[in-house]
Amino acid sequence: MGMARETETRIAVDGVSLDFPLYHTSGRSLKKTLISSVSKRMGEDAKRRIVVQALRDVSFTLTPGDRLGLIGSNGAGKTTLLRTLAGIYEPDMGSIRVHGTLDALLDPNLGMNVNLTGRENIMLRGLYAGLDKAGLVQLEEDVRHFADMDDFLGLPVRIYSAGMVIRLGFALATAIRPQVLLMDEWFLAGDAGFMEKARARLEDMVRDAEILVLSSHNTEALLEWCTRVIWMEQGRIQMDGPTETVLEAYLGHAVKQT
Amino acid sequence: MDSLRPRMRGAQTLEIMPGSTFGARQETALRDVREAVSLWRLCWTLSALDIKIRYRGSVLGPFWLTLSTGLTVAAMGGIYSTLFHIEMRDYLPFLAISQVLWGYQSALVTDACNGYVASEGMIRSVRMPFTLYAARIVLRNLMVLAHNLVVIVAVDLVMWQFPDPVVALAALPAMLVWVIDSLAISVLLGVLCARFRDIPPIVASVMQMAFLVTPVIWRPSLIGDLQWMLPFNPFFTLLEIVRAPLLGEIPSLAVYASAGLSSVVLCAMTWVLFVRVRGRIAFWV
């Protein structure tokens, strides 16, 4: 048993706290927005910086087969938690252990550079994932086939239509399959507009991942994808349990499993 | 066809926790460096694409850089050889080398200031070693330097003045020192400028001043009795360890000592800073 544990895909989050320091506050409208949505938790730390208590003593463990949903009001810490799990933000206290390959689909552009061509963006993502030459060829083939944009791959992303950018971003994001998949809600939000095959591909990817962490406001999506939900409020875990139980407590009324 | 899987970098288990001691933080900083090394192909591609974007659509491509450096050297050479009353044949090879090398240094410093701030989007969307952003800046500027070497060769051919090839070899180890120092500068300025947004203009004026007080376009010998002061100027000694051999001279021991000492201080300062603040950079950009 002990040996099996060592090789198993796994996330262990232990007592994680994170203060989000706000610098250059006045100059950045995005941060102004952030402050207004979390104003209750603002304070100043010892060095008189303005900080937001983004995460407070968060602990949980995920093992293969776990499908975790994160729910909570705006600014409850869902996205910060995803970024922390992805290793982008480092916690002030506590620890995170991730065993297995991890990918985070956090923003629709996935750091795509609009001045580069579609093909170059594909190559960069492949290199980031550590693919070899054959892998890079397969990746481009896969994305080209799915996004159906042969003529445009050699042109800068800047001149693509909005729809093409989404198609390329989506195809690219779902082409490489990690063991641990972290996803922000935008990925499911556009459901209505998405083509049938996009949905099939995403379902495929989620099924393929051993662990899924999904942050969403969409109750239906959580009911459909997740087996467990953590309700975050003001950076703390308010409730952690089976999807329906937590959603009923969060919404204050019964939800029906479809 | 099998679906594509990302490859694991380094250890199978990624541990993310705040280091409570310097040693623990240093361990994480070293991991950052190791991961950057394992991603060298990505770094190379990013740098090459940076150059490509800048000159996309132009006929000459990156050789615009070479052309503009060449024109600058030609114009300055004409004016200053008259002003300083020096033979063009002596002055132009000196000026070409100085201009190309100083061009690298000042472009690198400017780039380094924007390093992390300019990569904000990437830093917030994927976990990437922070040393890789620095390596990308250095590599990109080395590529520009390589294009500009053409100017030096062209001037040497036109003036039919060549350095002693054996002496010129002494520029190679000095170049290695430059690469290491460049990485340090990119991390140091990248971090400081991300945290304090008023640093870039300060750095710009320091570089302007350094250009004027350092023998870049004028020969060190022109300063006469004050030559003993030159080794105290790290901009000069670091420039001289690469420049002098390319002109067929071996720099003095004082120059080497000063350049070595400045490099050690720079690298040590950068490493301590990087180890301490690496985890905060994502919040600063």
Side-chain angles (χ1 to χ4, degrees):
Chain A
M1 191 66 195
M3 282 306 288
R5 273 286 153 92
E6 288 299 304
T7 54
E8 200 168 63
T9 304
R10 186 179 163 85
I11 295 184
V13 180
D14 187 19
V16 163
S17 293
L18 184 136
D19 282 339
F20 204 114
L22 298 178
Y23 299 98
H24 322 291
T25 323
S26 52
R28 295 198 169 182
S29 57
L30 184 75
K31 289 188 173 170
K32 276 185 188 163
T33 321
L34 190 62
I35 297 170
S36 60
S37 67
V38 288
S39 53
K40 269 175 273 177
R41 286 181 292 135
M42 264 182 50
E44 286 184 347
D45 72 358
K47 292 178 195 158
R48 300 193 61 80
R49 289 176 308 190
I50 300 171
V51 294
V52 169
Q53 300 178 357
L55 296 176
R56 275 290 164 268
D57 198 22
V58 173
S59 302
F60 59 87
T61 305
L62 299 173
T63 50
D66 276 349
R67 302 276 178 264
L68 176 70
L70 300 174
I71 202 162
S73 50
N74 278 327
K78 304 188 298 286
T79 307
T80 307
L81 180 57
L82 280 189
R83 285 217 166 98
T84 312
L85 289 178
I88 294 168
Y89 294 153
E90 279 181 23
D92 295 316
M93 269 190 285
S95 71
I96 296 171
R97 280 160 190 273
V98 178
H99 190 91
T101 55
L102 178 146
D103 200 358
L105 308 183
L106 296 175
D107 82 290
N109 287 329
L110 290 150
M112 266 202 288
N113 184 335
V114 295
N115 289 313
L116 294 175
T117 66
R119 185 170 292 120
E120 286 160 349
N121 274 298
I122 295 171
M123 178 166 66
L124 286 180
R125 182 147 176 89
L127 287 173
Y128 175 72
L131 299 184
D132 55 10
K133 270 225 167 67
L136 290 176
V137 172
Q138 190 188 333
L139 176 66
E140 189 185 319
E141 202 46 51
D142 184 39
V143 171
R144 180 215 302 275
H145 178 75
F146 180 82
D148 193 22
M149 48 193 309
D150 247 342
D151 304 337
F152 284 89
L153 278 187
L155 296 172
V157 173
R158 180 163 31 86
I159 65 156
Y160 289 12
S161 69
M164 283 164 70
V165 174
I166 291 178
R167 242 157 56 211
L168 175 64
F170 181 84
L172 201 48
T174 46
I176 301 174
R177 306 290 172 80
Q179 290 168 305
V180 179
L181 179 62
L182 312 177
M183 224 171 12
D184 216 342
E185 59 185 342
W186 70 269
F187 239 95
L188 298 167
D191 258 3
F194 261 127
M195 301 160 292
E196 207 41 42
K197 66 172 180 176
R199 190 164 173 81
R201 186 168 158 113
L202 185 62
E203 282 175 14
D204 224 37
M205 185 188 197
V206 168
R207 252 193 301 278
D208 226 23
E210 291 171 50
I211 294 176
L212 170 75
V213 182
L214 171 69
S215 155
S216 180
H217 280 123
N218 185 333
T219 324
E220 307 223 328
L222 290 173
L223 278 169
E224 187 184 344
W225 296 101
C226 301
T227 54
R228 173 181 169 189
V229 166
I230 285 181
W231 170 13
M232 306 267 309
E233 219 46 78
Q234 308 212 359
R236 293 175 190 277
I237 294 184
Q238 180 95 356
M239 195 175 172
D240 177 358
T243 310
E244 281 178 65
T245 321
V246 177
L247 284 183
E248 276 170 19
Y250 176 72
L251 296 168
H253 60 77
V255 291
K256 69 172 194 299
Q257 178 80 56
T258 45
Chain B
M1 199 153 45
D2 285 342
S3 44
L4 289 161
R5 302 283 179 189
R7 189 171 56 88
M8 229 24 220
R9 288 196 294 274
Q12 284 291 303
T13 306
L14 178 65
E15 290 187 38
I16 306 163
M17 60 179 80
S20 45
T21 62
F22 187 83
R25 282 164 190 251
Q26 180 155 265
E27 210 35 64
T28 332
L30 283 171
R31 184 177 75 195
D32 189 290
V33 175
R34 277 197 301 271
E35 282 184 38
V37 171
S38 78
L39 282 170
W40 66 272
R41 284 197 306 158
L42 177 65
C43 184
W44 177 271
T45 310
L46 281 170
S47 310
L49 289 176
D50 283 339
I51 303 223
K52 217 166 142 189
I53 289 178
R54 215 181 295 177
Y55 294 96
R56 177 154 278 161
S58 75
V59 185
L60 285 179
F63 282 98
W64 272 117
L65 301 167
T66 316
L67 192 66
S68 79
T69 312
L71 289 174
T72 314
V73 168
M76 283 172 72
I79 293 174
Y80 286 100
S81 63
T82 317
L83 283 179
F84 296 151
H85 306 292
I86 327 174
E87 269 294 307
M88 189 81 139
R89 197 163 175 272
D90 285 333
Y91 183 57
L92 215 52
F94 167 82
L95 181 67
I97 292 173
S98 301
Q99 191 63 33
V100 167
L101 294 181
W102 184 266
Y104 166 83
Q105 289 190 348
S106 80
L108 179 88
V109 166
T110 314
D111 256 13
C113 287
N114 298 320
Y116 293 121
V117 179
S119 302
E120 178 189 355
M122 216 164 174
I123 291 175
R124 282 182 195 273
S125 62
V126 289
R127 175 177 170 275
M128 192 120 92
F130 284 100
T131 42
L132 187 129
Y133 295 99
R136 168 190 184 179
I137 291 172
V138 176
L139 201 54
R140 171 167 84 204
N141 280 288
L142 284 174
M143 287 174 180
V144 173
L145 178 63
H147 282 94
N148 281 338
L149 288 181
V150 176
V151 175
I152 299 180
V153 175
V155 167
D156 282 1
L157 281 174
V158 171
M159 297 288 141
W160 210 251
Q161 286 270 36
F162 302 99
D164 182 341
V166 181
V167 175
L169 280 181
L172 284 180
M175 217 37 232
L176 188 67
V177 174
W178 268 35
V179 171
I180 294 167
D181 286 355
S182 301
L183 287 168
I185 283 274
S186 300
V187 171
L188 183 72
L189 289 179
V191 165
L192 289 177
C193 295
R195 177 66 186 82
F196 303 104
R197 296 300 165 95
D198 32 11
I199 288 190
I202 299 176
V203 172
S205 20
V206 167
M207 286 308 284
Q208 180 72 29
M209 217 161 61
F211 175 75
L212 295 174
V213 302
T214 305
V216 180
I217 57 169
W218 42 279
R219 290 243 186 210
S221 55
L222 282 180
I223 203 166
D225 289 346
L226 293 178
Q227 274 203 50
W228 62 270
M229 286 175 75
L230 287 177
F232 292 99
N233 175 358
F235 289 100
F236 168 70
T237 54
L238 281 166
L239 176 66
E240 195 66 357
I241 56 170
V242 175
R243 180 174 66 182
L246 293 179
L247 291 164
E249 300 154 23
I250 292 287
S252 70
L253 202 60
V255 167
Y256 274 121
S258 161
L261 191 67
S262 328
S263 303
V264 169
V265 171
L266 170 71
C267 293
M269 259 169 41
T270 304
W271 183 248
V272 171
L273 180 77
F274 182 64
V275 167
R276 290 183 64 100
V277 307
R278 195 194 46 81
R280 315 301 298 164
I281 301 175
F283 299 112
W284 289 349
V285 292

